[in-house]
Amino acid sequence: MSRLPRWVGGVGSGLIRLAERLDARKAAAEHDTAPAPEAEAARATAPDRAPEPAAAPVPAYEPGPGDPPGHGHVASPVMAMRPDPVAAVPWGVRVAAEVGWRLLVLAGTLWVLMRVISAVRLVVLAFVAGLLITALLQPTVAWLKRHGVPRGVATAMTFVSGFIIMGLVGWFVVWQVTENLDGLSANVQHGITDLKQWLLDSPFHVTQDQINNIADNLSKAIGNTKDLTSAATEGVQVILEVLTGILLAMFSTLFLLYDGPRIWSWILKLVPAAAREGVAGAGPRAWTTLTAYVRGTVIVALIDAICIGVGIFFLDVPMAVPLAVFIFLFAFIPLVGAVVSGALAVVVALVTRDVFTAAMVLVVVLAVQQIEGHVLQPFILGRAVRVHPLAVVLSVAAGSMVAGIGGAVVAVPLVAVTNTVVGYLRAYAKENAARARLDVSPEEAAAVASPPPPPPSSP
């Protein structure tokens, strides 16, 4: 036991001597590397002397994938000088990539939205029809409320009277068709006979065998029992879907007429707070555009139906009133509806009267459509809902591909409303930018964003 303290004391004295030796070596190294005073003075008195080259940078000491913590490998100087891969990509390629993936996201979102709309197409079309009917009937409710009628009573009166009028129009069309069906069949048979004779005598070199083959093919297509059965089944399904859509449209119209402002306030609560002000300003303008479109389309369609119906009546074409009603209904499909309804009137005149009467009906239809396109629509609809004809054609085609006739009807008002909303949001963003840049009131920012037109120049 007496040896243990002696051994510990020996270890302690050895450690002390080792520390003294290390301190002495460190002091000697600092003395050797320190510049001499004479050299410092010579360097200070020689300003024209070129500076000494800087020492080469020491390569970074980076850990390798298999090195333990605290160890590593020396990075290559070439790798340290290599540029960032992102900086090596050209600016145009980067912009195209940024735009491309955003377009892919938008296209995917649009595709999913179209799939959802196709899955619930009946509900969407019924609601949109209710929205269009509400835009047509809402001014009447507002007029009754301004004259002291309670909101519930005004809504009920407008709703009942509006759907009664639409029901009477449908009943009148059906009644006229059934009343004139027998006479129309006889006229059609007589007209087909005259058309055959005209084709045989025409310079088109149509033979009797060709006409007989066409008639046989039509008879086989009509007389196929299997096709008739499947067509009847599909007809029953279509009738059920139409009745369901009418009921949904009626309920949508009723609630939109009565609780429209409350529904709009609830929708605004779902919008993020940062965009709520812009959406709140775009909503009334979109509704004004939709109301103007529906009201103007109804007036234009009514004028077209009356003018073409009167012309058909004086030309002694059968079923002039039902044809006028069909022209009124098809007028809600821009461009395409006018062509289809006009062609229907010409065909009826051709098979029931003669070629001259059909040509006169065609002249009447074309004249009314020219007046509509160049006078009625610019004057009644105005610039608020003016859409380029190319946009009208493309929207009608896309709407018909997505949802048939219903999609073709709602395509143009949707495009008109979207145009109004986008224009307002663009002006709103410009106004906010001007307000933030100038730190002025909203009125002054609006004046800066949309300055007044210059005064007219003197002649």
Side-chain angles (χ1 to χ4, degrees), residues 30-273:
E30 291 178 356
H31 179 74
D32 294 339
T33 57
E38 295 80 4
E40 288 289 337
R43 187 179 293 111
T45 55
D48 297 335
R49 183 179 178 181
E52 297 180 359
V58 180
Y61 191 75
E62 299 178 353
D67 295 334
H71 296 76
H73 64 282
V74 178
S76 172
V78 178
M79 293 180 62
M81 297 174 61
R82 186 173 296 175
D84 187 9
V86 177
V89 179
W91 173 255
V93 176
R94 275 190 274 175
V95 171
E98 294 286 338
V99 174
W101 74 259
R102 285 175 171 83
L103 289 178
L104 288 177
V105 171
L106 291 177
T109 304
L110 184 62
W111 182 81
V112 173
L113 182 61
M114 290 296 102
R115 297 287 294 180
V116 172
I117 291 177
S118 299
V120 291
R121 181 174 58 184
L122 179 61
V123 177
V124 173
L125 289 179
F127 177 76
V128 173
L131 197 64
L132 295 177
I133 298 173
T134 303
L136 180 62
L137 300 180
Q138 180 63 36
T140 305
V141 176
W143 182 82
L144 292 175
K145 288 171 61 179
R146 285 196 302 267
H147 286 76
V149 181
R151 183 178 61 179
V153 178
T155 301
M157 292 174 59
T158 306
F159 175 78
V160 173
S161 59
F163 276 93
I164 285 177
I165 292 174
M166 287 186 283
L168 289 176
V169 170
W171 171 80
F172 180 75
V173 173
V174 174
W175 174 62
Q176 285 291 315
V177 171
T178 54
E179 284 291 325
N180 296 276
L181 190 59
D182 296 335
L184 181 63
S185 300
N187 290 330
V188 167
Q189 292 177 0
H190 180 70
I192 290 175
T193 303
D194 293 341
L195 182 61
K196 287 181 180 179
Q197 189 63 38
W198 181 80
L199 289 174
L200 291 174
D201 298 337
S202 66
F204 297 111
H205 304 289
V206 179
T207 62
Q208 184 67 38
D209 294 335
Q210 294 176 346
I211 296 176
N212 292 334
N213 290 331
I214 295 174
D216 293 338
N217 292 330
L218 291 175
S219 300
K220 291 179 181 178
I222 296 174
N224 195 339
T225 307
K226 184 178 179 180
D227 293 341
L228 290 177
T229 304
S230 61
T233 304
E234 293 178 358
V236 172
Q237 293 178 355
V238 169
I239 291 174
L240 291 177
E241 290 183 358
V242 168
L243 292 177
T244 305
I246 290 174
L247 291 176
L248 289 175
M250 291 176 65
F251 278 109
S252 301
T253 303
L254 179 61
F255 287 110
L256 288 173
L257 285 174
Y258 184 74
D259 268 345
R262 191 179 305 174
I263 295 173
W264 174 243
S265 301
W266 177 78
I267 293 175
L268 285 179
K269 293 179 182 178
L270 302 178
V271 180

Side-chain angles (χ1 to χ4, degrees), residues 261-336:
R262 191 179 305 174
I263 295 173
W264 174 243
S265 301
W266 177 78
I267 293 175
L268 285 179
K269 293 179 182 178
L270 302 178
V271 180
R276 191 171 299 166
E277 184 180 355
V279 175
R285 289 165 176 81
W287 183 251
T288 301
T289 299
L290 183 62
T291 304
Y293 175 83
V294 175
R295 189 186 308 171
T297 303
V298 169
I299 295 174
V300 171
L302 188 61
I303 295 174
D304 287 351
I306 292 175
C307 294
I308 297 177
V310 170
I312 293 174
F313 176 78
F314 281 108
L315 289 173
D316 199 18
V317 177
M319 294 198 310
V321 177
L323 287 175
V325 176
F326 277 114
I327 291 170
F328 172 78
L329 296 177
F330 277 94
F332 286 91
I333 306 176
L335 298 180
V336 179

